[in-house]
Amino acid sequence: MKIQILLGSTRPGRVGKEVGEWVMQHAQSREGVEYELVDIADFALPLLDEPAPPMMQQYTKDHTKNWSSKISEADGYIFITPEYNHGVPGAFKNAVDYLYHEWVNKAVGFIGYGSAGGVRAVENWRLISAELQMADVREQVRLYLDKDFENYSSFKPEDHHQDQLAKLFEQVEGWSKAMLTVRKTS
């Protein structure tokens, strides 16, 4: 089983990269599952530029085909999302919108960060993931810029986040395994 940790900010000077490295560090101790950190910035996706809707899977652009291939490898996901203006980051939403079938019947969990712990972005993602037929898990990690980032820039998570992260891993792994069965029968 493979879980991808999607780093959802492309902003220069972003703090999400440190969060992703922290998540990967803890994921290495998980048994029976492979974790991979996927940075959407590495795919340089322009604003959605495919002529056909993603549901049709008639991709014409190499960047879309590469993105589809990468996302198709996973059985589940953990989205690391900042909160921008009470919502999801545009670049991350754009990346998700490129695809459809690649997300269907897979599990997703969330790690949010921002002045309010990213909770509003995560709530937005829950609505989006429901439309994509994803199984979102209840546990989430909320990281606050004023508590978990020294000078709002250097990631120094409070200790209790390790317990939240462990529960998030358990739930995403459990639901990812369950969704394998759903994908096989659909």
Side-chain angles (χ1 to χ4, degrees), residues 4-127:
Q4 290 175 341
I5 301 163
L6 298 181
L7 183 53
S9 173
T10 59
R11 177 182 274 175
R14 62 194 169 154
V15 296
K17 193 155 188 135
E18 290 179 68
V19 176
E21 291 166 357
W22 173 75
V23 174
M24 274 302 294
Q25 176 187 356
H26 289 279
Q28 300 307 318
S29 65
R30 307 294 300 174
E31 293 184 18
V33 62
E34 176 188 348
Y35 280 87
E36 176 186 20
L37 183 61
V38 176
D39 188 343
I40 66 166
D42 292 341
F43 291 83
L45 296 167
L47 284 176
L48 186 55
D49 63 350
E50 287 288 344
M55 191 175 275
M56 297 176 73
Q57 281 188 306
Q58 295 175 352
Y59 306 135
T60 63
K61 313 286 186 191
D62 286 340
H63 54 260
T64 309
K65 293 173 186 176
N66 292 337
W67 178 237
S68 171
S69 177
K70 176 50 69 182
I71 295 305
S72 294
E73 294 174 3
D75 300 301
Y77 310 94
I78 294 175
F79 284 13
I80 299 176
T81 184
E83 181 176 309
Y84 294 164
N85 300 316
H86 289 215
V88 300
F92 199 3
K93 176 68 165 67
N94 182 60
V96 170
D97 286 346
Y98 260 93
L99 310 175
Y100 178 76
H101 292 283
E102 295 83 349
W103 305 115
V104 173
N105 291 328
K106 294 182 181 178
V108 63
F110 304 98
I111 298 172
Y113 62 92
S115 60
V119 296
R120 294 167 292 218
V122 169
E123 287 305 311
N124 285 192
W125 278 122
R126 290 185 191 284
L127 293 171

